[in-house]
Amino acid sequence: MAGTLERFDSAAAGFRSRLAGLTPDALEAPSPCEGWTASDVVEHTIGAVVVVADFVGEPVDDDRSAASVDRFDRACADLRAKVADPELASTVVESPFGELALKQIVSSIVVHDLLVHTWDLARATGGDERLDPALVEHTLASMEPLDDALRGHGAFADKLPAPDDADEQTKLLCFLGRQP
């Protein structure tokens, strides 16, 4: 798959497609994230995009009274514009994984977060659980070497064994402790 912006666009489009049209009842459904509803997944995901976008430049106008799709669109547009700006994209900031350039954070953290929570939201609300195969491959390949560090932050459950004949998406979900 191409670069950071293409991965970000694809991951954001996948999440947005699951978010669009959800009813308030659907948002109250339990998610695969222990103790979280679908609404919690949405709030976390939008919040993560906003937090990363706020690392550089002007803060995102995150009007929490706006519809979730509108908030998500604004946050993604702001972050995308910052990553498209070479100066802002190369700005090094402190992240949960140390000092990284904004572009690296988006490529390695935000894209992964969007992808995984796309599946979580789909599973919680009965939506389409198929993920972009190129993003799945990118995410699994970049996360597997960081296994100990990822588990050390407490962000992921214990890995589950993947069947021998598992496809890449199933391997990723099992790696992240999610029951496919």
Side-chain angles (χ1 to χ4, degrees):
M1 176 166 264
T4 299
L5 283 175
E6 291 83 5
R7 283 191 293 274
F8 176 73
D9 289 345
S10 181
F15 187 83
R16 188 188 192 287
S17 73
R18 278 36 168 231
L19 177 60
L22 289 181
T23 65
D25 288 343
L27 288 169
E28 294 310 310
S31 83
C33 302
E34 189 174 331
W36 284 16
T37 64
S39 180
D40 295 327
V41 170
V42 170
E43 286 303 312
H44 163 80
T45 305
I46 294 170
V49 173
V50 168
V51 164
V52 172
D54 283 352
F55 283 160
V56 299
E58 292 296 316
V60 174
D61 176 21
D62 186 25
D63 178 2
R64 296 180 66 87
S65 68
S68 294
V69 172
D70 293 337
R71 285 182 58 219
F72 182 72
D73 287 349
R74 274 196 305 278
C76 287
D78 187 85
L79 182 55
R80 187 184 199 293
K82 290 173 179 175
V83 173
D85 178 314
E87 185 176 328
L88 292 177
S90 63
T91 302
V92 175
V93 298
E94 187 63 38
S95 82
F97 299 99
E99 291 186 349
L100 297 170
L102 178 66
K103 184 176 180 177
Q104 291 173 295
I105 293 169
V106 171
S107 183
S108 63
I109 298 172
V110 176
V111 167
H112 302 339
D113 198 57
L114 285 167
L115 181 70
V116 171
H117 291 312
T118 295
W119 184 85
D120 293 333
L121 187 60
R123 173 60 58 104
T125 61
D128 180 3
E129 295 181 13
R130 289 173 295 152
L131 300 173
D132 179 308
L135 286 178
V136 167
E137 183 180 336
H138 167 77
T139 299
L140 185 58
S142 60
M143 290 181 97
E144 281 182 321
L146 305 173
D147 189 10
D148 291 338
L150 294 172
R151 308 258 179 243
H153 282 283
F156 298 101
D158 292 337
K159 290 186 281 191
L160 300 174
D164 292 338
D165 63 346
D167 62 13
E168 290 296 298
Q169 179 171 316
T170 300
K171 290 176 186 175
L172 174 64
L173 294 170
C174 289
F175 175 78
L176 298 173
R178 285 158 167 84
Q179 185 65 52

